[in-house]
Amino acid sequence: MPPVNQQRRDALADAAIAIVASEGSHGLSHRSVDETAAVPRGTTSNYFRSRDALLEATVKRIVHLHFEWIGELRAKREGELDRTALMEILAQVLDESVTVHKDRYRAMMELLLEGTRRPELHATLVETFTSGVQLVHEAHKADGVEPTDVQIHLLRVIYVGTLFSFIVLPETLQTLGPAETTMTLMNTVLGR
């Protein structure tokens, strides 16, 4: 049974995120995490017995950080989360995802590709994106709009594609900032 020291597990997963962001998933190993986290050799393998367990922990850490961040942004808002508030939150998330937290989202893009080759990792990623849909649905319902499942899923697909473009081909979106991009996406898919 792996050790339960959550603070250490998080630090190791953070080191794994940094590695995947800079070297891709092929650069991720127990030894590279030990070195990046500056812990004794063998520490990472004590916490994550296999490479698959390490990859899954990395995804779960990114997801945890993402939803913790969204929760903080949402908590700063007074009143109900409506469509306008959601657009402002998503614009801030898009902006900071490609600036402040760029490594985290670069790592997520790498892991999304890795998930196409690893069914267990893919299942974790699907679960993550499914829970993100709920936030969009709640915000629109509060604003008196009942988006269809197709609209919400299409918005998510386009949003992730936009995030991908800002991370890997930022020059293609030079004229659009994150806020304008977010509003354009939501208005195009959901109307108004």
Side-chain angles (χ1 to χ4, degrees), residues 139-159:
H140 282 81
K141 247 181 132 172
D143 209 26
V145 177
E146 187 64 45
T148 66
D149 287 343
V150 171
Q151 287 174 312
I152 290 175
H153 290 292
L154 183 59
L155 179 62
R156 185 197 71 226
V157 167
I158 294 170
Y159 195 82

Side-chain angles (χ1 to χ4, degrees), residues 20-75:
V20 173
S22 66
E23 300 176 35
S25 60
H26 65 278
L28 184 66
S29 68
H30 290 93
R31 180 179 283 183
S32 67
V33 173
D34 287 343
E35 290 171 5
T36 301
V39 296
R41 183 181 278 178
T43 301
T44 303
S45 62
N46 284 336
Y47 283 85
F48 310 107
R49 291 288 186 200
S50 67
R51 187 167 186 280
D52 285 342
L54 181 56
L55 281 166
E56 186 172 337
T58 306
V59 168
K60 287 183 177 180
R61 180 67 175 157
I62 292 171
V63 169
H64 171 78
L65 291 170
H66 176 76
F67 283 108
E68 181 178 67
W69 178 34
I70 297 287
E72 290 168 6
L73 293 175
R74 190 173 177 182

Side-chain angles (χ1 to χ4, degrees), residues 122-172:
H122 181 76
T124 302
L125 290 162
V126 168
E127 184 181 318
T128 299
F129 283 97
T130 302
S131 50
V133 166
Q134 189 60 35
L135 179 70
V136 175
H137 194 269
E138 286 173 23
H140 282 81
K141 247 181 132 172
D143 209 26
V145 177
E146 187 64 45
T148 66
D149 287 343
V150 171
Q151 287 174 312
I152 290 175
H153 290 292
L154 183 59
L155 179 62
R156 185 197 71 226
V157 167
I158 294 170
Y159 195 82
V160 170
T162 302
L163 176 59
F164 181 81
S165 295
F166 268 116
I167 289 174
V168 300
L169 297 167
E171 59 277 1
T172 65

Side-chain angles (χ1 to χ4, degrees), residues 86-99:
L86 177 67
M87 284 180 18
E88 290 169 3
I89 288 172
L90 290 178
Q92 184 174 350
V93 168
L94 184 58
D95 180 48
E96 292 182 18
S97 293
V98 299
T99 55

